[in-house]
Structure formats: C-alpha cells, structure tokens
Amino acid sequence: MESILKSLYLSDLTLLELAGAMRREMDRGLAAKTNEGAEMRMLPTYVTGTPDGTEDGEFLAFDLGGTNFRILLVKLVAGEHKNITMNSQIYHISQEIMTGTGAQLFDHLVECLWDFLSEREITSQLLPIGFTFSFPSNHLGIDKNILLCWTKGYTASGMVGEDIGKLLNEAIDRKSKIRPLNFDLKIMAIMNDTVGTVVSCGYDDNDTCMGMIVGTGTNMAYMEKQENIELLEKKTPASEMCINAEWGAFGDKSESLKAIRTEYDIYIDENSPNKGQYIFDKMISGMYMGELLRLIIVKLISNGEIFEEIAPDSKIFSPGLSAAFVSHIVNFNNDNDQIRQCVARFGLIASDEDCNKLVQLCEAISKRAAYLCAAGVVTVAQKIAENRGPDAKMTIGVDGSVYRKHPTFAKLLHSKVRDLGGDLNVTFHETTDGSGRGAALVAAVECRLQNIRTKVPNQTEE
Ligand code: BGC
C-alpha cells in the first residue's frame, strides 16, 4: 500500500520537469520540421476569432466525443441583450457502434439527426451546423478535418485518414434520398471540444485564451500567434489562431513520462485499443481512472492487504469501476457506511481500515491526475505570457465531467497551478456546454465571415 501511494505521488520538482518537457514538445509541434515527431500535436484549427456579440440566428450543434451524441438547436440573439437559448437531445452511442464501421457510426448520427429534426418545428431555411468532433484531427480548413487516430475506446473502421465533414455530408445525402428535407443543412465548422470551450467561454469573458477538458478524455486548446505556427501554410489576417494541443499524446514517443508511470498505467495502455498512444490521457482522464483504482485494489487483495471478505461472484476482478466511483469514495471520506454501500455492489465487504485505505487510494489517484493537468496548464500559460506579456490576464474555460463533478479535482488543480505558476495571472472559468454552445458560436462566426444569412422568424417578416 505504501509503495503504491508513493508511486502515485508527484513532487513540485517532478511536475516542473514535466512542464519543461511539455514546453519542448509544444515548440517542436509548432515547428514545421519537427511537428511530425512531436508529442504535443499542436494542430492549427482555423478558428481565429471569438464571437463579437453580433452573431444571430438558428444553428445546429453536434457533439460527438464520448459515449453520447448530442444534438442542439441553438438560437443566438445579437446586440445589447445578446442571449443564447438551446434545446438539446442526447442519443446513446452503443459499444457496438463505437467499434463497428465508420459508415455504421455516421448513419447512426444521421438517424439521430432525423429524429431530432422531425420532432421539432424548425423555422430556418438554412441550418448551419457546428460539429464538435472531439478526437485528434488535422484541419485543412475550418470545415475540413482528417481523423488522425481514435481515442476514448472508439475504433470505428475506415475513418482514420478520412475527412469527417465529407463523411457526414455523404451520410446526410444517403438519408436524404430516402426521406428528403425542406431545408438545407450546411456544415460550417468542425472543431475539437477544447476549441469550442475557448469560444464559448470567450463569449462571456474577453480574456479567454485557453480551453481545457477533463472528462472521458483530456486536452487543451489555446490562442497562439500565427507567426509562431510554422505548419500553417496560409496565414489568415488575424494575429492569433486557436491551436488544439492534443496534450493527451504527451509521453507517446519519448521517455518523458517513463519515470512516473506505474505498472498499472502500463497495464491499462497495453490492454487498450490504442496501445502506445495517448499515455498522458490515460494517466488523467475519466475513461481510465476507475480501472486504475480497480487494478490497484486487485493487487492489494492478492497481497492480502485489503478486503479480506470478498463474495465468490465479486465483480472486482473484471473491468467495471468508473471515475464516478472514485469521486464518490473521495466524497464519502469519513462516512464509512456510504463507502460500504458503494463497494458492496462489487461484492466487497469493507472494514473501517479498508474504507480508510480506499479513500487514500482514490485521493492519490485524483491528486496525480489534477497535478498532471496543472503542469500542463502552467506550461501553456507560460507560452501565452511570452506571447502577450507577463501581466497578460488569462482566462481558461474548463469543461468535462471530472473537472465538474469530482469533489476535489478542481481545487487541487487550481492550487497546484498557483504553486507551480508563480505570478501567472490565470483565472479558471467553468464552462458548461463548451461543445454545444461553442460549436454554434463558431458556426455563427463563420456565417458572419462568409456573409451567409441565417433566417430567424423576425427576419422572415422584413
Ligand atoms: C481527445 C481530444 C479531446 C479530449 C477531450 C481526448 O481523448 O484526443 O481530442 O479533446 O479527449 O474530449
């Protein structure tokens, strides 16, 4: 038990070393010659501006990035009383669809879209779509991006290397032949959830320059000077562009994380569908947090150090613990009756000492995840401070279930950023629905830039 807790502990010195390595990988990712081998992917997104309040109309937002697909109808009202209203529906993506073929996945998305539209009275003639696609993709334009690899348990075949917008349009065309619609759907923009978070938070706070997700997966996007983005062949007139760092890939190609990976992290990676990829992601995000705890518990059981009483049909010996389980245990610290109820569902009978050990383990796993994120936030904030000046005010929009629902994660992250970041002027802004609101706003900005009018009822009467 003691050696496990020790292996999960990260000192400030270790975190600062990691931050240094992350910074090197950021620079390598931004440089044309080294981008290919860099661990921070630093993908240009073609999102250059945040909304200016003149965005108006009805938009559809799609959000795919985990076990659910969400569709939102977003109404933006411009001007002094600018406001956003949203009507959304969640559709489940089964394991079968996640791991089937790309065509099955996209046909399913379009099936959901038809269900959504047929249930609502839509007034627009043109429905611009903002699509949040939260997987590593290489943008060739704001509405054209190529899937680089899957993460978060997805393996749908035939999609890596393909243009996501094209696949969605093809699936919409297939469906329209069977059941035509009386209005146009137009994909205006495709983006990562971190990018949507920057834009959504930027709508409320002008100092927003970073967007972070800590949920099923983890990642960061931030505003970078275009002159520093060597990879970008055609610069746009704007001075900055949002970069999708894909920090989850940190540790993939070098030894940067080797010293701090535990045998459990290695086991998780080796048994994942994307073995050897997204090592940082696997040490932090909600997708793996419960499994990490489970592997440690199984090890302690085999050492005779925890849970002497185990039901013969205990579920602890096969995957099934969630990040929510870790959150509950941290939350129930000092309430052993609640902890006993939680573990009973897995066929475990906990003594007071077991409860105490479980809390310590969950706290250590959560703290490690929060501290690794803190090292990342400080690295990116330092880069922005170099670009914008040391006193620059930096707001970071944050979303994701781990950040929002875990009882101590956010506090641990904030305080570690203060410890490591010295004078950096960073403010955290929890942004619920970066992917929905953000997607609609990016689509709206794009419509404005391309001079496309979206009809809303009061415009129809003009
Ligand atoms: C993906 C990112 C995404 C993050 C949060 C990671 O696994 O690679 O693209 O932003 O999860 O959803």
Side-chain angles (χ1 to χ4, degrees), residues 134-136 151-152 192-194 213 217-219 246 278 281:
S134 307
F135 299 96
T151 55
K152 297 180 275 199
N192 190 260
D193 48 0
T194 50
I213 304 282
T218 181
N219 191 13
E246 284 297 333
Y278 277 69
D281 198 38

Side-chain angles (χ1 to χ4, degrees), residues 16-258:
L16 288 170
E17 276 168 16
L18 284 179
M22 281 181 111
R23 175 54 197 270
R24 279 192 295 281
E25 292 304 320
M26 277 179 83
D27 290 341
R28 277 161 47 76
L30 287 171
K33 269 196 199 142
T34 43
N35 172 275
E36 187 91 31
E39 296 182 5
M40 300 278 269
R41 300 217 163 152
M42 309 302 279
L43 305 164
T45 63
Y46 294 86
V47 171
T48 52
T50 41
D52 65 4
T54 62
E55 294 72 26
D56 212 82
E58 288 184 325
F59 301 85
L60 276 180
F62 293 176
D63 177 12
L64 181 72
T67 46
N68 291 322
F69 173 51
R70 224 162 34 116
I71 306 180
L72 304 94
L73 179 64
V74 184
K75 292 190 189 186
L76 304 178
V77 177
E80 206 184 321
H81 302 292
K82 68 173 190 182
N83 136 318
I84 303 186
T85 48
M86 298 192 291
N87 174 295
S88 70
Q89 195 152 329
I90 292 180
Y91 298 89
H92 181 63
I93 306 279
S94 67
Q95 188 72 18
E96 215 184 349
I97 289 183
M98 274 182 176
T99 55
T101 67
Q104 278 166 345
L105 173 65
F106 274 71
D107 283 345
H108 177 67
L109 300 188
V110 173
E111 201 53 54
C112 300
L113 173 64
W114 250 246
D115 174 80
F116 184 87
L117 294 174
S118 61
E119 276 194 8
R120 288 162 180 80
E121 233 175 77
I122 310 282
T123 51
S124 299
Q125 296 301 301
L126 170 74
L127 270 185
I129 301 175
F131 185 5
T132 305
F133 182 74
S134 307
F135 299 96
S137 340
N138 196 9
H139 273 270
L140 304 176
I142 194 151
D143 59 349
K144 194 168 168 53
N145 75 335
I146 312 291
L147 178 65
L148 291 171
C149 63
W150 282 119
T151 55
K152 297 180 275 199
Y154 273 73
T155 57
S157 60
M159 286 191 58
V160 171
E162 296 295 327
D163 177 357
I164 297 309
K166 189 167 148 263
L167 292 182
L168 184 61
N169 275 327
E170 284 171 2
I172 291 176
D173 285 348
R174 279 199 293 278
K175 184 80 184 171
S176 307
K177 286 195 183 116
I178 307 169
R179 191 158 21 122
L181 283 175
N182 59 355
F183 50 82
D184 283 340
L185 296 167
K186 182 167 167 48
I187 301 172
M188 296 304 302
I190 306 179
M191 75 217 72
N192 190 260
D193 48 0
T194 50
V195 178
T197 302
V198 174
V199 175
S200 177
C201 187
Y203 188 70
D204 307 319
D205 181 338
N206 285 335
D207 294 321
T208 307
C209 50
M210 290 184 263
M212 178 172 77
I213 304 282
V214 196
T216 309
T218 181
N219 191 13
M220 165 73 90
Y222 77 103
M223 299 306 291
E224 177 58 88
K225 274 188 179 169
Q226 284 205 47
E227 63 188 58
N228 292 341
I229 314 173
E230 279 184 19
L231 206 62
L232 200 61
E233 279 169 16
K234 273 193 230 135
K235 309 263 192 264
T236 74
S239 64
E240 293 187 329
M241 180 179 281
C242 195
I243 288 286
N244 169 10
E246 284 297 333
W247 75 12
F250 178 59
D252 285 9
K253 294 180 183 153
S254 70
E255 312 248 296
S256 319
L257 290 171
K258 195 174 174 212

